[in-house]
């Protein structure tokens, strides 16, 4: 199985920065992390709204995708040897307030339903 754990959430003023971490573990991830079809993604969900795509990264090749709402402000990075993915968030806005989740799947996609494993989420609150 795969276990994903997010950390780094908190309260930030508008215009500030925050970095989230997602660490993966479990036999399925450890044996599949060299798979060329492995992708890791970040999603977020605000109260009363559907879970939405933030960005993703190809675990081997490093290619990234971002939602237009965060492009240029957020950056995804990874350290494969530590099974860790990061979300660097800059120029934060109140609309960025949400629970942020990391996920793992085997497609390059923005659709939550195509990711197989999920973390528990970490709260990010941006005050005006």
């Amino acid at each position: 199985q795969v276990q994903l754990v997010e950390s780094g959430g908190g309260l930030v003023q508008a215009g500030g920065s925050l970095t989230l971490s997602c660490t993966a573990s479990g036999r399925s991830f450890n044996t599949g992390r060299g798979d060329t079809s492995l992708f890791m993604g970040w999603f977020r969900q605000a109260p009363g709204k559907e879970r939405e795509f933030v960005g993703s990264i190809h675990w081997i090749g490093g290619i990234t995708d971002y939602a237009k709402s965060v492009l240029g402000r957020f950056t995804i990075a990874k350290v494969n040897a530590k099974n860790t993915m990061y979300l660097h968030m800059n120029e934060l806005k109140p609309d960025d307030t949400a629970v942020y989740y990391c996920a793992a799947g085997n497609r390059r996609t923005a659709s939550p339903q195509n990711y197989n494993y999920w973390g528990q989420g970490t709260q990010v609150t941006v005050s005006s």
Side-chain angles (χ1 to χ4, degrees):
Q1 301 298 328
V2 175
Q3 294 83 44
L4 303 173
V5 179
E6 305 96 334
S7 63
L11 176 63
V12 186
Q13 291 188 353
S17 300
L18 196 65
T19 296
L20 307 181
S21 299
C22 172
T23 299
S25 62
R27 176 174 291 183
S28 294
F29 187 87
N30 289 336
T31 58
R33 59 188 176 181
D35 194 324
T36 56
S37 66
L38 175 60
F39 293 84
M40 298 282 288
W42 285 101
F43 292 80
R44 65 187 184 186
Q45 188 166 22
K49 298 182 179 179
E50 294 184 348
R51 190 165 298 187
E52 67 173 351
F53 175 76
V54 174
S56 67
I57 188 166
H58 183 216
W59 202 244
I60 301 302
I63 189 170
T64 53
D65 294 315
Y66 297 96
K68 289 183 172 60
S69 60
V70 306
L71 186 64
R73 299 189 298 119
F74 291 10
T75 302
I76 296 175
K78 61 182 177 66
V79 180
N80 295 47
K82 296 185 177 182
N83 294 346
T84 300
M85 174 179 65
Y86 304 93
L87 181 65
H88 302 290
M89 302 183 292
N90 300 304
E91 302 174 35
L92 284 161
K93 307 173 181 179
D95 285 346
D96 294 319
T97 295
V99 176
Y100 283 71
Y101 300 88
C102 66
N106 55 16
R107 289 187 175 91
R108 182 182 179 181
T109 177
S111 178
Q113 66 183 6
N114 289 319
Y115 288 81
N116 305 114
Y117 302 98
W118 294 85
Q120 82 290 346
T122 185
Q123 176 72 47
V124 174
T125 302
V126 184
S127 62
S128 60

